[in-house]
């Protein structure tokens, strides 16, 4: 309802904090002119105006801090150097500031003298309350009940030991596991002494004899032959401490059981071992580092751009040695040893090293074929011909390699005597071949330069010599049953490398200017002839 009489609504006079002792409900606005710092600045300005100005040569203005005039200080410094009379006397009110009331002077912290506080005595300080001991979690004890724990030293301990030993001897895992679990829980919950709980477990498990050291082999034999109570206890301990391993009594219990620390490190988790003090705190980080090095660290370099220095030194070694040194047995063997040293020093891939070797061999095939034939024969890439019972191997004179390429040969050329001797061996081979043709027919063709299986029992032995692929095993079985000879041996890695090179020139990825190198065909034919690879 609007007020009558057309008069305005009256509002009470605004009160300020200086006018009364803070009885108003509304806080007063901030007035910088009422502060003591503003009064001091007004007093200094008034003193500066009253001083005469020195206009002559010898005088300087007081505002510039001359020798004859008073120095004008900053408000902050002035508050620290104001005379006592200026601090004690109130400043004169000006037109912009309201008058300072007496209540303000009384409430001013500068005017009120500080009051001393009475010292607090030590008796009046309240001590913090002691933390309440947490009660043990409820558990239904079957063997360590309150009557057994109450008479633990007199008869309760011996009763529990007799029950545990009987369960261990009869291999009753349910009863033994319950007893061990209750003993560990009682020690952790302070129902019995932790050291006494561990000693009781030790009496139940029994001690290992000194003649049987606690090794992995003995433990494996014990697991397969009889019941192992110590490993069973460690399994129960792992289940109990799966959720919490921070109990300080756990170390006393475990160390008092007499279980070997070696067995603990083999079967317990790393977190539990770390809390027991059996491993270092850095064991987890070391395990992660080892796994990273084993799984994610590159063991060898297959691409040329990954290890340019190692592969460039390999190519230089093969080119320089084959072109500057005679292909003797000593030179070839020393070259292969240096190549193996490069593989180990630069972590080169063995298959890629063989690929590079074949490329260099193809590049200098006409000039340096003697060196590389002897080099491949002396290397570990040469296929091995294993001796089996019931398998008749061909005569060494009928070998596909020439005599100068065999290990231990002093020369690297074929002499006239070697040619005559090889001619006689070939003649004998041809005679034996035609005699064999009259006996078995054209199957004698497969027996040239191959091992002939003479007994049926040796066929399975020939099949089981290092063949893991089932498809390859089936092919070898068919070959042996059809021909009666062993499959031709050869380096499969070298055959695959040459196959990849030849397949590129027959694929759609080949461009118009990609021409099949003739030396690659010659290299494949030479490797087949000397027996390094087989068809």
């Amino acid at each position: 309802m609007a007020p009558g009489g057309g008069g305005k609504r009256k509002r009470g006079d605004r009160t300020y904090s200086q006018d009364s002792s803070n009885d108003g409900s509304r806080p007063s606005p901030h007035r910088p002119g009422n502060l003591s710092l503003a009064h001091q600045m007004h007093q200094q300005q008034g003193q500066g105006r009253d001083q005469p100005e020195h206009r002559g040569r010898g005088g300087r203005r007081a505002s510039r801090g001359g020798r004859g005039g008073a120095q004008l200080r900053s408000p902050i410094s002035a508050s620290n150097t104001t005379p006592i009379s200026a601090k004690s006397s109130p400043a004169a009110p000006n037109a912009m500031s309201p008058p300072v009331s007496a209540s303000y002077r009384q409430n001013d912290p500068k005017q009120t003298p500080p009051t001393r506080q009475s010292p607090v005595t030590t008796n009046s300080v309240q001590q913090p309350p002691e933390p309440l001991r947490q009660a043990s979690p409820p558990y239904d004890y079957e063997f360590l009940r309150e009557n057994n724990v109450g008479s633990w030293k007199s008869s309760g301990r011996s009763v529990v030991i007799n029950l545990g030993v009987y369960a261990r001897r009869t291999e009753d895992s349910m009863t033994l596991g319950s007893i061990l679990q209750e003993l560990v829980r009682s020690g952790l919950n302070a129902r019995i002494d932790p050291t006494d709980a561990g000693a009781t477990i030790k009496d139940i498990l029994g001690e290992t004899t000194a003649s049987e050291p606690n090794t992995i082999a003995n433990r494996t034999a014990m697991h397969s032959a009889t019941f192992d109570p110590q490993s069973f206890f460690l399994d129960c301990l792992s289940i109990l401490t799966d959720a919490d391993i921070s109990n300080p009594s756990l170390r006393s219990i475990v160390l008092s059981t007499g279980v070997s620390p070696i067995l603990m490190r083999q079967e317990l988790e790393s977190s539990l071992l770390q809390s027991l003090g059996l491993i270092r705190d850095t064991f987890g980080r070391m395990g992660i580092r080892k796994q990273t090095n084993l799984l994610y660290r590159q063991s060898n370099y297959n691409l040329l751009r990954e290890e340019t220095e190692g592969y460039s030194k390999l190519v230089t070694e093969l080119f320089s040695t084959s072109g500057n040194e005679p292909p003797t047995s000593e030179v070839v063997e020393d070259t292969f040893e240096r190549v193996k040293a490069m593989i180990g020093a630069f972590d080169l891939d063995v298959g890629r090293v063989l690929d590079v070797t074949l490329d260099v061999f193809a590049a200098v095939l006409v000039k340096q074929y003697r060196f590389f034939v002897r080099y491949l024969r002396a290397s570990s890439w040469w296929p091995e011909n294993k001796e089996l019972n019931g398998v008749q191997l061909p005569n060494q004179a009928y070998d596909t390699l020439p005599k100068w390429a065999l290990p231990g040969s002093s020369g690297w050329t074929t002499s006239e005597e070697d040619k005559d001797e090889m001619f006689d061996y070939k003649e004998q081979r041809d005679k034996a071949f035609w005699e064999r043709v009259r006996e078995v027919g054209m199957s004698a063709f497969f027996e040239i330069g191959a091992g002939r299986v003479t007994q049926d029992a040796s066929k399975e032995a020939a099949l089981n010599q290092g063949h893991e692929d089932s498809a390859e095993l089936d092919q070898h079985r068919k070959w042996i049953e059809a021909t009666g000879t062993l499959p031709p041996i050869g380096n499969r890695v070298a055959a695959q490398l040459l196959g990849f090179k030849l397949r590129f020139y027959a694929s759609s990825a080949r461009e118009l200017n990609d021409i099949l190198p003739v030396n690659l065909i010659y290299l494949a034919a030479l490797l087949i002839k000397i027996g390094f690879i087989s068809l």
Side-chain angles (χ1 to χ4, degrees), residues 495-524:
Q496 290 179 355
L497 292 174
L498 288 175
F500 291 149
K501 296 178 185 297
L502 296 174
R503 188 175 63 179
F504 168 75
Y505 294 99
S507 63
S508 58
R510 174 184 177 182
E511 299 181 358
L512 295 177
N513 54 355
D514 290 336
I515 302 174
L516 178 62
V518 182
N519 57 352
L520 188 60
I521 301 296
Y522 294 158
L523 175 63

PDB file of all heavy atoms in Angstrom, residues 495-524:
ATOM      1  N   ALA A 495      68.064 -71.800 -50.334  1.00  0.00           N
ATOM      2  CA  ALA A 495      67.107 -72.074 -51.405  1.00  0.00           C
ATOM      3  C   ALA A 495      65.948 -71.082 -51.383  1.00  0.00           C
ATOM      4  O   ALA A 495      65.487 -70.614 -52.438  1.00  0.00           O
ATOM      5  CB  ALA A 495      66.594 -73.508 -51.272  1.00  0.00           C
ATOM      6  N   GLN A 496      65.463 -70.727 -50.189  1.00  0.00           N
ATOM      7  CA  GLN A 496      64.389 -69.745 -50.095  1.00  0.00           C
ATOM      8  C   GLN A 496      64.844 -68.357 -50.536  1.00  0.00           C
ATOM      9  O   GLN A 496      64.091 -67.624 -51.186  1.00  0.00           O
ATOM     10  CB  GLN A 496      63.860 -69.701 -48.666  1.00  0.00           C
ATOM     11  CG  GLN A 496      63.083 -70.947 -48.261  1.00  0.00           C
ATOM     12  CD  GLN A 496      62.597 -70.860 -46.825  1.00  0.00           C
ATOM     13  OE1 GLN A 496      62.912 -69.922 -46.105  1.00  0.00           O
ATOM     14  NE2 GLN A 496      61.832 -71.872 -46.408  1.00  0.00           N
ATOM     15  N   LEU A 497      66.067 -67.993 -50.200  1.00  0.00           N
ATOM     16  CA  LEU A 497      66.571 -66.682 -50.613  1.00  0.00           C
ATOM     17  C   LEU A 497      66.667 -66.580 -52.133  1.00  0.00           C
ATOM     18  O   LEU A 497      66.250 -65.564 -52.733  1.00  0.00           O
ATOM     19  CB  LEU A 497      67.943 -66.434 -49.975  1.00  0.00           C
ATOM     20  CG  LEU A 497      67.958 -66.245 -48.448  1.00  0.00           C
ATOM     21  CD1 LEU A 497      69.392 -66.164 -47.942  1.00  0.00           C
ATOM     22  CD2 LEU A 497      67.187 -65.001 -48.051  1.00  0.00           C
ATOM     23  N   LEU A 498      67.205 -67.613 -52.763  1.00  0.00           N
ATOM     24  CA  LEU A 498      67.263 -67.603 -54.227  1.00  0.00           C
ATOM     25  C   LEU A 498      65.857 -67.650 -54.835  1.00  0.00           C
ATOM     26  O   LEU A 498      65.601 -67.043 -55.881  1.00  0.00           O
ATOM     27  CB  LEU A 498      68.096 -68.781 -54.722  1.00  0.00           C
ATOM     28  CG  LEU A 498      69.601 -68.680 -54.481  1.00  0.00           C
ATOM     29  CD1 LEU A 498      70.292 -69.968 -54.916  1.00  0.00           C
ATOM     30  CD2 LEU A 498      70.194 -67.496 -55.241  1.00  0.00           C
ATOM     31  N   GLY A 499      64.949 -68.367 -54.195  1.00  0.00           N
ATOM     32  CA  GLY A 499      63.582 -68.407 -54.698  1.00  0.00           C
ATOM     33  C   GLY A 499      62.898 -67.055 -54.631  1.00  0.00           C
ATOM     34  O   GLY A 499      62.170 -66.668 -55.571  1.00  0.00           O
ATOM     35  N   PHE A 500      63.122 -66.293 -53.576  1.00  0.00           N
ATOM     36  CA  PHE A 500      62.562 -64.947 -53.484  1.00  0.00           C
ATOM     37  C   PHE A 500      63.126 -64.030 -54.571  1.00  0.00           C
ATOM     38  O   PHE A 500      62.393 -63.219 -55.162  1.00  0.00           O
ATOM     39  CB  PHE A 500      62.845 -64.359 -52.113  1.00  0.00           C
ATOM     40  CG  PHE A 500      62.090 -65.028 -51.002  1.00  0.00           C
ATOM     41  CD1 PHE A 500      62.623 -65.114 -49.728  1.00  0.00           C
ATOM     42  CD2 PHE A 500      60.851 -65.592 -51.240  1.00  0.00           C
ATOM     43  CE1 PHE A 500      61.933 -65.742 -48.711  1.00  0.00           C
ATOM     44  CE2 PHE A 500      60.142 -66.221 -50.226  1.00  0.00           C
ATOM     45  CZ  PHE A 500      60.686 -66.296 -48.950  1.00  0.00           C
ATOM     46  N   LYS A 501      64.408 -64.151 -54.830  1.00  0.00           N
ATOM     47  CA  LYS A 501      65.012 -63.306 -55.859  1.00  0.00           C
ATOM     48  C   LYS A 501      64.447 -63.642 -57.238  1.00  0.00           C
ATOM     49  O   LYS A 501      64.147 -62.740 -58.037  1.00  0.00           O
ATOM     50  CB  LYS A 501      66.532 -63.494 -55.855  1.00  0.00           C
ATOM     51  CG  LYS A 501      67.216 -63.038 -54.569  1.00  0.00           C
ATOM     52  CD  LYS A 501      68.708 -63.308 -54.625  1.00  0.00           C
ATOM     53  CE  LYS A 501      69.377 -62.975 -53.307  1.00  0.00           C
ATOM     54  NZ  LYS A 501      69.267 -61.550 -52.960  1.00  0.00           N
ATOM     55  N   LEU A 502      64.304 -64.929 -57.542  1.00  0.00           N
ATOM     56  CA  LEU A 502      63.781 -65.318 -58.850  1.00  0.00           C
ATOM     57  C   LEU A 502      62.287 -65.031 -58.979  1.00  0.00           C
ATOM     58  O   LEU A 502      61.802 -64.719 -60.071  1.00  0.00           O
ATOM     59  CB  LEU A 502      64.061 -66.802 -59.099  1.00  0.00           C
ATOM     60  CG  LEU A 502      65.544 -67.201 -59.184  1.00  0.00           C
ATOM     61  CD1 LEU A 502      65.688 -68.711 -59.282  1.00  0.00           C
ATOM     62  CD2 LEU A 502      66.205 -66.526 -60.386  1.00  0.00           C
ATOM     63  N   ARG A 503      61.548 -65.139 -57.868  1.00  0.00           N
ATOM     64  CA  ARG A 503      60.114 -64.895 -57.947  1.00  0.00           C
ATOM     65  C   ARG A 503      59.801 -63.425 -58.195  1.00  0.00           C
ATOM     66  O   ARG A 503      58.760 -63.091 -58.766  1.00  0.00           O
ATOM     67  CB  ARG A 503      59.448 -65.359 -56.648  1.00  0.00           C
ATOM     68  CG  ARG A 503      57.931 -65.334 -56.701  1.00  0.00           C
ATOM     69  CD  ARG A 503      57.330 -65.916 -55.444  1.00  0.00           C
ATOM     70  NE  ARG A 503      57.693 -65.134 -54.269  1.00  0.00           N
ATOM     71  CZ  ARG A 503      57.271 -65.423 -53.027  1.00  0.00           C
ATOM     72  NH1 ARG A 503      56.501 -66.495 -52.832  1.00  0.00           N
ATOM     73  NH2 ARG A 503      57.632 -64.682 -52.012  1.00  0.00           N
ATOM     74  N   PHE A 504      60.691 -62.540 -57.779  1.00  0.00           N
ATOM     75  CA  PHE A 504      60.459 -61.121 -58.017  1.00  0.00           C
ATOM     76  C   PHE A 504      60.399 -60.820 -59.513  1.00  0.00           C
ATOM     77  O   PHE A 504      59.564 -60.015 -59.961  1.00  0.00           O
ATOM     78  CB  PHE A 504      61.571 -60.308 -57.348  1.00  0.00           C
ATOM     79  CG  PHE A 504      61.583 -58.859 -57.765  1.00  0.00           C
ATOM     80  CD1 PHE A 504      60.643 -57.977 -57.279  1.00  0.00           C
ATOM     81  CD2 PHE A 504      62.540 -58.383 -58.659  1.00  0.00           C
ATOM     82  CE1 PHE A 504      60.648 -56.645 -57.667  1.00  0.00           C
ATOM     83  CE2 PHE A 504      62.560 -57.067 -59.052  1.00  0.00           C
ATOM     84  CZ  PHE A 504      61.607 -56.190 -58.553  1.00  0.00           C
ATOM     85  N   TYR A 505      61.269 -61.461 -60.279  1.00  0.00           N
ATOM     86  CA  TYR A 505      61.304 -61.182 -61.720  1.00  0.00           C
ATOM     87  C   TYR A 505      60.152 -61.859 -62.463  1.00  0.00           C
ATOM     88  O   TYR A 505      59.960 -61.607 -63.652  1.00  0.00           O
ATOM     89  CB  TYR A 505      62.640 -61.640 -62.314  1.00  0.00           C
ATOM     90  CG  TYR A 505      63.805 -60.836 -61.802  1.00  0.00           C
ATOM     91  CD1 TYR A 505      64.613 -61.329 -60.763  1.00  0.00           C
ATOM     92  CD2 TYR A 505      64.099 -59.589 -62.323  1.00  0.00           C
ATOM     93  CE1 TYR A 505      65.687 -60.602 -60.289  1.00  0.00           C
ATOM     94  CE2 TYR A 505      65.168 -58.846 -61.841  1.00  0.00           C
ATOM     95  CZ  TYR A 505      65.950 -59.355 -60.836  1.00  0.00           C
ATOM     96  OH  TYR A 505      67.007 -58.624 -60.351  1.00  0.00           O
ATOM     97  N   ALA A 506      59.391 -62.716 -61.778  1.00  0.00           N
ATOM     98  CA  ALA A 506      58.217 -63.336 -62.389  1.00  0.00           C
ATOM     99  C   ALA A 506      56.913 -62.781 -61.834  1.00  0.00           C
ATOM    100  O   ALA A 506      55.845 -63.272 -62.196  1.00  0.00           O
ATOM    101  CB  ALA A 506      58.250 -64.850 -62.176  1.00  0.00           C
ATOM    102  N   SER A 507      56.972 -61.759 -60.975  1.00  0.00           N
ATOM    103  CA  SER A 507      55.781 -61.210 -60.348  1.00  0.00           C
ATOM    104  C   SER A 507      55.345 -59.936 -61.068  1.00  0.00           C
ATOM    105  O   SER A 507      56.043 -59.402 -61.938  1.00  0.00           O
ATOM    106  CB  SER A 507      56.053 -60.906 -58.866  1.00  0.00           C
ATOM    107  OG  SER A 507      57.064 -59.920 -58.744  1.00  0.00           O
ATOM    108  N   SER A 508      54.182 -59.444 -60.687  1.00  0.00           N
ATOM    109  CA  SER A 508      53.648 -58.215 -61.273  1.00  0.00           C
ATOM    110  C   SER A 508      54.359 -56.967 -60.761  1.00  0.00           C
ATOM    111  O   SER A 508      54.207 -55.885 -61.336  1.00  0.00           O
ATOM    112  CB  SER A 508      52.152 -58.107 -60.962  1.00  0.00           C
ATOM    113  OG  SER A 508      51.927 -58.115 -59.552  1.00  0.00           O
ATOM    114  N   ALA A 509      55.121 -57.085 -59.677  1.00  0.00           N
ATOM    115  CA  ALA A 509      55.862 -55.931 -59.159  1.00  0.00           C
ATOM    116  C   ALA A 509      57.068 -55.580 -60.021  1.00  0.00           C
ATOM    117  O   ALA A 509      57.673 -54.520 -59.828  1.00  0.00           O
ATOM    118  CB  ALA A 509      56.322 -56.209 -57.726  1.00  0.00           C
ATOM    119  N   ARG A 510      57.400 -56.427 -60.938  1.00  0.00           N
ATOM    120  CA  ARG A 510      58.550 -56.168 -61.802  1.00  0.00           C
ATOM    121  C   ARG A 510      58.220 -55.065 -62.803  1.00  0.00           C
ATOM    122  O   ARG A 510      57.142 -55.040 -63.397  1.00  0.00           O
ATOM    123  CB  ARG A 510      58.918 -57.458 -62.546  1.00  0.00           C
ATOM    124  CG  ARG A 510      60.016 -57.305 -63.580  1.00  0.00           C
ATOM    125  CD  ARG A 510      60.232 -58.605 -64.325  1.00  0.00           C
ATOM    126  NE  ARG A 510      61.233 -58.478 -65.373  1.00  0.00           N
ATOM    127  CZ  ARG A 510      61.579 -59.465 -66.206  1.00  0.00           C
ATOM    128  NH1 ARG A 510      60.979 -60.647 -66.090  1.00  0.00           N
ATOM    129  NH2 ARG A 510      62.502 -59.266 -67.127  1.00  0.00           N
ATOM    130  N   GLU A 511      59.151 -54.140 -62.995  1.00  0.00           N
ATOM    131  CA  GLU A 511      58.989 -53.057 -63.962  1.00  0.00           C
ATOM    132  C   GLU A 511      59.582 -53.456 -65.305  1.00  0.00           C
ATOM    133  O   GLU A 511      60.210 -54.511 -65.450  1.00  0.00           O
ATOM    134  CB  GLU A 511      59.650 -51.785 -63.432  1.00  0.00           C
ATOM    135  CG  GLU A 511      59.030 -51.284 -62.120  1.00  0.00           C
ATOM    136  CD  GLU A 511      59.696 -50.018 -61.634  1.00  0.00           C
ATOM    137  OE1 GLU A 511      60.670 -49.562 -62.302  1.00  0.00           O
ATOM    138  OE2 GLU A 511      59.275 -49.491 -60.580  1.00  0.00           O
ATOM    139  N   LEU A 512      59.390 -52.576 -66.296  1.00  0.00           N
ATOM    140  CA  LEU A 512      59.850 -52.901 -67.644  1.00  0.00           C
ATOM    141  C   LEU A 512      61.371 -52.942 -67.746  1.00  0.00           C
ATOM    142  O   LEU A 512      61.935 -53.734 -68.501  1.00  0.00           O
ATOM    143  CB  LEU A 512      59.285 -51.882 -68.637  1.00  0.00           C
ATOM    144  CG  LEU A 512      57.749 -51.887 -68.792  1.00  0.00           C
ATOM    145  CD1 LEU A 512      57.318 -50.778 -69.752  1.00  0.00           C
ATOM    146  CD2 LEU A 512      57.252 -53.244 -69.270  1.00  0.00           C
ATOM    147  N   ASN A 513      62.027 -52.096 -66.978  1.00  0.00           N
ATOM    148  CA  ASN A 513      63.490 -52.053 -67.054  1.00  0.00           C
ATOM    149  C   ASN A 513      64.168 -53.053 -66.112  1.00  0.00           C
ATOM    150  O   ASN A 513      65.394 -53.071 -66.022  1.00  0.00           O
ATOM    151  CB  ASN A 513      64.002 -50.641 -66.750  1.00  0.00           C
ATOM    152  CG  ASN A 513      63.471 -50.124 -65.418  1.00  0.00           C
ATOM    153  OD1 ASN A 513      62.666 -50.789 -64.780  1.00  0.00           O
ATOM    154  ND2 ASN A 513      63.915 -48.941 -65.022  1.00  0.00           N
ATOM    155  N   ASP A 514      63.384 -53.844 -65.362  1.00  0.00           N
ATOM    156  CA  ASP A 514      63.952 -54.878 -64.487  1.00  0.00           C
ATOM    157  C   ASP A 514      64.198 -56.139 -65.316  1.00  0.00           C
ATOM    158  O   ASP A 514      63.258 -56.841 -65.703  1.00  0.00           O
ATOM    159  CB  ASP A 514      63.004 -55.186 -63.329  1.00  0.00           C
ATOM    160  CG  ASP A 514      62.913 -54.038 -62.340  1.00  0.00           C
ATOM    161  OD1 ASP A 514      63.866 -53.240 -62.282  1.00  0.00           O
ATOM    162  OD2 ASP A 514      61.879 -53.928 -61.649  1.00  0.00           O
ATOM    163  N   ILE A 515      65.454 -56.412 -65.567  1.00  0.00           N
ATOM    164  CA  ILE A 515      65.849 -57.564 -66.388  1.00  0.00           C
ATOM    165  C   ILE A 515      66.453 -58.620 -65.470  1.00  0.00           C
ATOM    166  O   ILE A 515      67.228 -58.306 -64.566  1.00  0.00           O
ATOM    167  CB  ILE A 515      66.864 -57.142 -67.476  1.00  0.00           C
ATOM    168  CG1 ILE A 515      66.246 -56.040 -68.355  1.00  0.00           C
ATOM    169  CG2 ILE A 515      67.273 -58.334 -68.328  1.00  0.00           C
ATOM    170  CD1 ILE A 515      67.211 -55.466 -69.367  1.00  0.00           C
ATOM    171  N   LEU A 516      66.096 -59.855 -65.704  1.00  0.00           N
ATOM    172  CA  LEU A 516      66.624 -60.951 -64.898  1.00  0.00           C
ATOM    173  C   LEU A 516      68.124 -61.082 -65.115  1.00  0.00           C
ATOM    174  O   LEU A 516      68.592 -61.302 -66.240  1.00  0.00           O
ATOM    175  CB  LEU A 516      65.928 -62.254 -65.283  1.00  0.00           C
ATOM    176  CG  LEU A 516      66.403 -63.511 -64.549  1.00  0.00           C
ATOM    177  CD1 LEU A 516      66.156 -63.404 -63.055  1.00  0.00           C
ATOM    178  CD2 LEU A 516      65.729 -64.749 -65.123  1.00  0.00           C
ATOM    179  N   PRO A 517      68.941 -60.941 -64.049  1.00  0.00           N
ATOM    180  CA  PRO A 517      70.393 -61.055 -64.211  1.00  0.00           C
ATOM    181  C   PRO A 517      70.783 -62.485 -64.589  1.00  0.00           C
ATOM    182  O   PRO A 517      70.289 -63.456 -64.011  1.00  0.00           O
ATOM    183  CB  PRO A 517      70.944 -60.669 -62.839  1.00  0.00           C
ATOM    184  CG  PRO A 517      69.825 -59.972 -62.142  1.00  0.00           C
ATOM    185  CD  PRO A 517      68.576 -60.586 -62.671  1.00  0.00           C
ATOM    186  N   VAL A 518      71.682 -62.567 -65.528  1.00  0.00           N
ATOM    187  CA  VAL A 518      72.139 -63.891 -65.967  1.00  0.00           C
ATOM    188  C   VAL A 518      72.983 -64.553 -64.887  1.00  0.00           C
ATOM    189  O   VAL A 518      72.942 -65.780 -64.715  1.00  0.00           O
ATOM    190  CB  VAL A 518      72.919 -63.757 -67.284  1.00  0.00           C
ATOM    191  CG1 VAL A 518      73.365 -65.130 -67.788  1.00  0.00           C
ATOM    192  CG2 VAL A 518      72.081 -63.049 -68.335  1.00  0.00           C
ATOM    193  N   ASN A 519      73.765 -63.750 -64.154  1.00  0.00           N
ATOM    194  CA  ASN A 519      74.629 -64.341 -63.130  1.00  0.00           C
ATOM    195  C   ASN A 519      73.817 -64.965 -62.003  1.00  0.00           C
ATOM    196  O   ASN A 519      74.298 -65.866 -61.318  1.00  0.00           O
ATOM    197  CB  ASN A 519      75.586 -63.292 -62.589  1.00  0.00           C
ATOM    198  CG  ASN A 519      74.850 -62.079 -62.028  1.00  0.00           C
ATOM    199  OD1 ASN A 519      73.636 -61.948 -62.175  1.00  0.00           O
ATOM    200  ND2 ASN A 519      75.596 -61.175 -61.401  1.00  0.00           N
ATOM    201  N   LEU A 520      72.569 -64.530 -61.802  1.00  0.00           N
ATOM    202  CA  LEU A 520      71.727 -65.153 -60.784  1.00  0.00           C
ATOM    203  C   LEU A 520      71.338 -66.579 -61.188  1.00  0.00           C
ATOM    204  O   LEU A 520      71.302 -67.485 -60.351  1.00  0.00           O
ATOM    205  CB  LEU A 520      70.477 -64.300 -60.550  1.00  0.00           C
ATOM    206  CG  LEU A 520      69.574 -64.701 -59.392  1.00  0.00           C
ATOM    207  CD1 LEU A 520      70.337 -64.641 -58.081  1.00  0.00           C
ATOM    208  CD2 LEU A 520      68.340 -63.800 -59.333  1.00  0.00           C
ATOM    209  N   ILE A 521      71.057 -66.773 -62.472  1.00  0.00           N
ATOM    210  CA  ILE A 521      70.749 -68.126 -62.972  1.00  0.00           C
ATOM    211  C   ILE A 521      71.982 -69.019 -62.847  1.00  0.00           C
ATOM    212  O   ILE A 521      71.899 -70.176 -62.415  1.00  0.00           O
ATOM    213  CB  ILE A 521      70.266 -68.066 -64.424  1.00  0.00           C
ATOM    214  CG1 ILE A 521      69.015 -67.179 -64.527  1.00  0.00           C
ATOM    215  CG2 ILE A 521      69.979 -69.454 -64.959  1.00  0.00           C
ATOM    216  CD1 ILE A 521      67.824 -67.710 -63.789  1.00  0.00           C
ATOM    217  N   TYR A 522      73.152 -68.480 -63.241  1.00  0.00           N
ATOM    218  CA  TYR A 522      74.382 -69.253 -63.122  1.00  0.00           C
ATOM    219  C   TYR A 522      74.710 -69.594 -61.673  1.00  0.00           C
ATOM    220  O   TYR A 522      75.211 -70.693 -61.383  1.00  0.00           O
ATOM    221  CB  TYR A 522      75.543 -68.487 -63.750  1.00  0.00           C
ATOM    222  CG  TYR A 522      75.416 -68.306 -65.249  1.00  0.00           C
ATOM    223  CD1 TYR A 522      76.101 -67.297 -65.909  1.00  0.00           C
ATOM    224  CD2 TYR A 522      74.625 -69.160 -66.006  1.00  0.00           C
ATOM    225  CE1 TYR A 522      76.006 -67.138 -67.285  1.00  0.00           C
ATOM    226  CE2 TYR A 522      74.515 -69.013 -67.377  1.00  0.00           C
ATOM    227  CZ  TYR A 522      75.192 -67.998 -68.019  1.00  0.00           C
ATOM    228  OH  TYR A 522      75.070 -67.847 -69.381  1.00  0.00           O
ATOM    229  N   LEU A 523      74.441 -68.678 -60.776  1.00  0.00           N
ATOM    230  CA  LEU A 523      74.712 -68.937 -59.358  1.00  0.00           C
ATOM    231  C   LEU A 523      73.824 -70.066 -58.841  1.00  0.00           C
ATOM    232  O   LEU A 523      74.305 -70.967 -58.132  1.00  0.00           O
ATOM    233  CB  LEU A 523      74.472 -67.665 -58.533  1.00  0.00           C
ATOM    234  CG  LEU A 523      74.604 -67.813 -57.014  1.00  0.00           C
ATOM    235  CD1 LEU A 523      76.019 -68.197 -56.625  1.00  0.00           C
ATOM    236  CD2 LEU A 523      74.185 -66.518 -56.317  1.00  0.00           C
ATOM    237  N   ALA A 524      72.538 -70.038 -59.164  1.00  0.00           N
ATOM    238  CA  ALA A 524      71.636 -71.114 -58.720  1.00  0.00           C
ATOM    239  C   ALA A 524      72.078 -72.461 -59.286  1.00  0.00           C
ATOM    240  O   ALA A 524      72.057 -73.482 -58.573  1.00  0.00           O
ATOM    241  CB  ALA A 524      70.209 -70.792 -59.139  1.00  0.00           C
TER     242      ALA A 524
END
